Amino acid sequence: MNYWLIKSEASCYSIDNLKRDKKTAWTGVRNYQARNFMRDDMRVGDLVLFYHSLGTPELPNGIYGVAKVASKPHADETQFDKKDMHCEPKAKDGVPIWACVDMAFVKKFKHPINLGEIKRSRELSGMEITRTGSRLSVTPVSEKHFKYITEVLAN
DNA sequence: GCCAACGTTGGC
DNA sequence: GCCAACGTTGGC
């Protein structure tokens, strides 16, 4: 069992959207390292922290809940769609460059865990999200950090 | 293969 | 809106 954190702008795809959809293909990731995590290291059933970036006063940056990996990796179909902003001209002849997995809704926390709180927590020091300039939208999370967030901070 | 220019992310 | 961080592109 591995643990992960995925970022999404709330205005783009929020945890409430995932709750409504129950399951969605996690498309649009256009970073090789993030893709490799999804394609090579994620397993069905892995648990995933759902982080909202580019927050507002109403929806501050932070972790809002938990999702889980619900499929093996597959091609990100948006790369073949010329009308999609994530269309990839290098994906010629239907040969995919970008991959994704499906994410399923697990739960939304009663209250979000703000980035500031995460950064201040000594137990969470070393988490990728606390590093300044960390832009990776898919990152591994240690079991210790995952459990501290879901079992201590979220309660 | 180097590296400058450029584009994007995302916190503040 | 600003800007630091950093990934990608492309000329050489």
Side-chain angles (χ1 to χ4, degrees):
Chain A
M1 162 80 80
N2 289 314
Y3 301 93
W4 306 93
L5 180 145
I6 55 174
K7 293 183 194 173
S8 182
E9 297 174 30
S11 60
C12 181
Y13 193 86
S14 72
I15 191 156
D16 291 324
N17 292 142
L18 183 61
K19 186 175 184 179
R20 178 199 63 202
D21 297 342
K22 296 189 176 63
K23 195 171 104 166
T24 194
W26 202 250
T27 58
V29 173
R30 293 295 180 268
N31 171 285
Y32 289 107
Q33 210 183 339
R35 177 203 68 181
N36 293 348
F37 282 137
M38 286 198 288
R39 189 189 62 185
D40 303 335
D41 298 326
M42 281 189 178
R43 297 290 178 270
V44 172
D46 281 358
L47 293 172
V48 184
L49 299 170
F50 196 111
Y51 178 87
H52 280 171
S53 63
L54 297 187
T56 60
E58 296 76 34
L59 275 176
N61 296 335
I63 297 168
Y64 280 70
V66 178
K68 74 178 171 193
V69 177
S71 78
K72 291 185 173 180
H74 55 82
D76 177 339
E77 293 302 325
T78 63
Q79 71 195 300
F80 301 122
D81 183 352
K82 288 191 173 59
K83 292 188 293 291
D84 194 287
M85 66 171 290
H86 296 110
C87 182
E88 174 58 78
K90 282 185 283 193
K92 287 196 195 73
D93 306 319
V95 179
I97 305 274
W98 302 109
C100 66
V101 298
D102 294 349
M103 290 290 175
F105 178 79
V106 174
K107 68 171 159 183
K108 184 179 177 181
F109 295 152
K110 290 190 287 284
H111 57 89
I113 298 157
N114 294 346
L115 181 60
E117 185 178 0
I118 293 165
K119 284 187 167 176
R120 280 193 305 275
S121 166
R122 306 183 79 238
E123 284 82 357
L124 297 178
S125 74
M127 254 189 102
E128 182 66 22
I129 200 82
T130 63
R131 276 188 47 228
T132 49
S134 172
R135 301 189 306 165
L136 208 49
S137 65
V138 178
T139 53
V141 173
S142 72
E143 181 175 18
K144 173 170 160 275
H145 289 164
F146 183 90
K147 292 201 163 165
Y148 187 73
I149 288 164
T150 55
E151 294 173 9
V152 180
L153 295 185
N155 291 316

